[in-house]
Amino acid sequence: MNDMTPILIGAGQAVEPVPADLSKAASHADMAGRAAKSALADAGIAAAHIDVVACVRTFSDSSPAYACPFGGPDKFPLAVASRIGAAPKLAIYDVLGGQSPQALVGEFAQELIAGRADVVVIAGGEALANMRAAQRSGADLDWSEEHEGEWKDRGLFSGSMIVSQTELAHGLMDAMSYYGFIETARRIKAGRTVAEHRKHMAELIAPFSAVAAHNPYSMFDETYSAEAIAKETPDNRALISPFLKSMVAKDGVNQGAAIVMTTVGRARELGVPETQWVYLRGHAEGQEKLMLDRTELGRSVAMDVIIEAALSAANVAPQQIEHADIYSCFPCVVDQAATALDRKGKSMTLTGGLPFFGGPGNNYTLHGICEVVEACRKAPGGLGLAHGNGGWMSKQAVGIYSTEAAEGDVFADRDLIATRIEGQSSPGQVEQVSGDAVIETYIVNHKRGVPVSAVVIGQAKTGERFYARLQDMTTDQLSAMADGQYDRADIRVETGMPANKAWLI
């Protein structure tokens, strides 16, 4: 065994119910620190050996919509390091996105191989449940911290943007809108009614809730039937069509996760037993094109390409994967992954999924990796897969893990992946359009369960796609649209400033 082979030697998670005494409520950094401390204990090593701390960006540092009114650390990774007594030479705060945890594993596996890192902690934490409870109660908390030391804040994004100015002009700023377009496109292609598709989505994710109910690190412990998930009620109200509240990620959590990585040679020096070692057998990552430039509006070519590339890098077939945790912010992600991995009817989660276990911001996949590590240790020799998803099936990262090492390069060719993704066919898009067109997919926005507006992705007579806001729609018409009565309907479009306007014909 090559001494420079990278391995995962520690995994830790943390969860906190909202405390009665909110003055004792954990912060985002507290949750990440608790998980990192647990991961170090799992590895059985001292914090003094850590030379790198890389942290997943919190939701509060990702979007103004999640901004924390109680402040936060000026240097998040150093705040986490201080909680475990580490003095890292390198402290990194990563870009946003659910792909980030697995991308960091891939990055630092390569740094370990090259000898540029020795012992790495990757950690993240969210305390949005505590934050919101404190806001509601009027509690006066102070989570601000200042830390001395060098660090690198990578900012919000890397690479090309996943949202365009045209999309922003049409009010498309949240993930649920884009996933609504995707999910409705999948429904229309499958020929399902809205009721049938909600049943399909519910049957797909209902088993997740049973896993979450038995996971000690789950934020929630309820088990839901498919019937309950698919039934619209005041408590399970419609959000952005076709989603009901129970079908989507729940970000009101207090959760943290962390892993420890090093090399085989260093693990031996530190006395870490081989029963703790888990190898990265395959890794792939990449980014999808903008929504209107995709081959199909209901499918991410990038997701299929990257799953295939990770399996190929590990030299394994989908059927060989015994343990899988698939990003589950919305059912369409699980549905596509189930097809790509030939897992229809098989378990797709080890955590319980974002709607039931909890959706701790950008850090969810780190919980999935922790669970994959544990599953591999309990069944030595088996293969586990962790899937990270950012944006709207936009940014993808997949890791294959096992307690058994494999020879050769485990990293998929990123340039080849990018070429395959960029090479997908598309009808193209136009920012402004006038004339007759047809609806390709759409969303209906709801407020407290009542439909209030609609945005469509249309296809012009010349074939290009465009966005437009539907005009002069009554509540009854919006309800009918949300119920699928205007699938593939004809529309008349006018160029607008800043958004295109459309009317049903």
Side-chain angles (χ1 to χ4, degrees):
M1 179 64 61
N2 188 323
D3 278 354
M4 303 306 290
T5 300
I7 50 175
L8 282 68
I9 59 170
Q13 300 181 72
V15 64
E16 176 179 282
V18 176
D21 182 358
L22 287 169
S23 67
K24 299 178 180 179
S27 68
H28 308 302
D30 290 334
M31 296 309 303
R34 290 176 190 177
K37 190 173 184 179
S38 178
L40 278 174
D42 183 54
I45 65 171
H49 299 296
I50 298 166
D51 67 330
V52 178
V53 172
C55 285
V56 177
R57 185 171 291 270
T58 66
F59 257 16
S60 288
D61 288 340
S62 298
S63 167
Y66 293 90
C68 183
F70 310 117
D74 62 339
K75 301 173 181 177
F76 190 88
L78 292 179
V80 175
S82 72
R83 283 162 169 77
I84 57 175
K89 297 176 183 176
L90 179 63
I92 288 175
Y93 202 27
D94 203 24
V95 298
L96 66 85
Q99 81 293 336
S100 173
Q102 179 58 44
L104 285 171
V105 171
E107 174 185 351
F108 283 100
Q110 292 176 309
E111 292 297 290
L112 288 162
I113 290 170
R116 292 188 293 265
D118 187 45
V119 178
V120 180
V121 168
I122 299 173
E126 292 287 343
L128 288 175
N130 283 344
M131 186 186 87
R132 290 168 180 166
Q135 286 178 284
R136 290 192 298 268
S137 71
D140 185 18
L141 303 181
D142 184 3
W143 289 350
S144 59
E145 304 176 31
E146 292 185 1
H147 294 272
E148 295 294 328
E150 296 296 318
W151 76 311
K152 182 175 179 60
D153 184 348
R154 291 176 168 174
L156 297 178
F157 308 104
S158 63
S160 58
M161 296 293 289
I162 64 170
V163 61
S164 68
Q165 289 300 316
T166 300
E167 289 166 331
L168 294 176
H170 287 82
L172 302 171
M173 293 176 282
D174 62 297
M176 196 181 303
S177 295
Y178 294 94
Y179 280 106
F181 287 131
I182 293 169
E183 201 76 67
T184 293
R186 292 179 74 85
R187 175 185 67 76
I188 292 172
K189 182 177 180 179
R192 301 188 189 106
T193 66
V194 172
E196 289 169 343
H197 193 68
R198 280 181 173 165
K199 181 174 183 289
H200 171 76
M201 291 189 291
E203 289 175 343
L204 188 68
I205 64 174
F208 284 48
S209 70
V211 175
H214 293 91
N215 188 326
Y217 299 107
S218 176
M219 190 69 189
F220 312 103
D221 59 5
E222 295 180 70
T223 301
Y224 297 89
S225 67
E227 291 75 17
I229 293 170
K231 185 177 181 180
E232 186 173 350
T233 67
D235 289 333
N236 191 28
R237 65 186 183 278
L239 301 175
I240 291 175
S241 63
F243 302 118
L244 302 178
K245 185 179 177 182
S246 61
M247 297 174 172
V248 304
K250 293 178 176 57
D251 57 25
V253 302
N254 303 316
Q255 291 174 309
I259 59 169
V260 182
M261 298 179 67
T262 190
T263 60
V264 164
R266 191 71 170 112
R268 288 190 175 124
E269 290 176 2
L270 294 170
V272 180
E274 290 193 33
T275 53
Q276 291 292 105
W277 302 4
V278 174
Y279 298 87
L280 180 64
R281 289 279 297 270
H283 171 84
E285 59 183 288
Q287 183 168 317
E288 181 59 277
K289 301 177 79 170
L290 291 170
M291 178 71 73
L292 297 191
D293 292 328
R294 301 179 185 183
T295 297
E296 298 178 36
L297 294 177
R299 171 175 167 258
S300 168
V301 167
M303 185 172 166
D304 285 345
V305 167
I306 289 158
I307 288 174
E308 178 188 333
L311 292 168
S312 178
N315 195 28
V316 298
Q319 298 79 10
Q320 292 176 265
I321 300 297
E322 297 180 29
H323 325 288
D325 193 81
I326 304 302
Y327 205 90
S328 50
C329 52
F330 296 90
C332 52
V333 182
V334 180
D335 203 11
Q336 181 171 330
T339 300
L341 290 167
D342 191 24
R343 293 190 74 83
K344 294 287 187 180
K346 299 178 182 178
S347 174
M348 299 289 285
T349 187
L350 298 173
T351 65
L354 287 91
F356 310 110
F357 167 83
N362 302 313
N363 200 50
Y364 168 80
T365 301
L366 199 49
H367 290 269
I369 293 169
C370 287
E371 295 288 347
V372 168
V373 166
E374 287 302 310
C376 288
R377 287 173 176 171
K378 289 177 181 177
L383 291 162
L385 179 147
H387 167 238
N389 171 80
W392 17 102
M393 299 168 95
S394 307
K395 296 179 282 186
Q396 302 286 315
V398 174
I400 312 294
Y401 297 88
S402 178
T403 56
E404 293 186 355
E407 295 181 2
D409 189 0
V410 301
F411 304 99
D413 187 324
R414 295 186 68 166
D415 290 337
L416 180 59
I417 287 171
T419 298
R420 291 184 62 188
I421 294 169
E422 287 300 312
Q424 64 181 289
S425 61
S426 168
Q429 62 168 293
V430 288
E431 291 186 8
Q432 299 175 329
V433 62
S434 296
D436 292 343
V438 65
I439 295 174
E440 192 170 353
T441 187
Y442 62 88
I443 54 171
V444 177
N445 299 300
H446 291 70
K447 187 174 183 180
R448 294 189 177 90
V450 178
V452 293
S453 64
V455 182
V456 304
I457 294 178
Q459 194 160 20
K461 294 297 184 183
T462 51
E464 297 94 344
R465 292 175 177 146
F466 61 88
Y467 291 105
R469 294 177 179 171
L470 275 183
Q471 307 294 306
D472 303 329
M473 296 286 284
T474 66
T475 301
D476 286 345
Q477 284 178 308
L478 288 169
S479 294
M481 187 170 200
D483 198 38
Q485 295 182 34
Y486 296 120
D487 291 353
R488 303 292 300 174
D490 293 323
I491 53 175
R492 176 173 55 85
V493 191
E494 289 183 3
T495 294
M497 294 299 292
N500 298 318
K501 300 177 180 180
W503 291 262
L504 291 171
I505 296 177

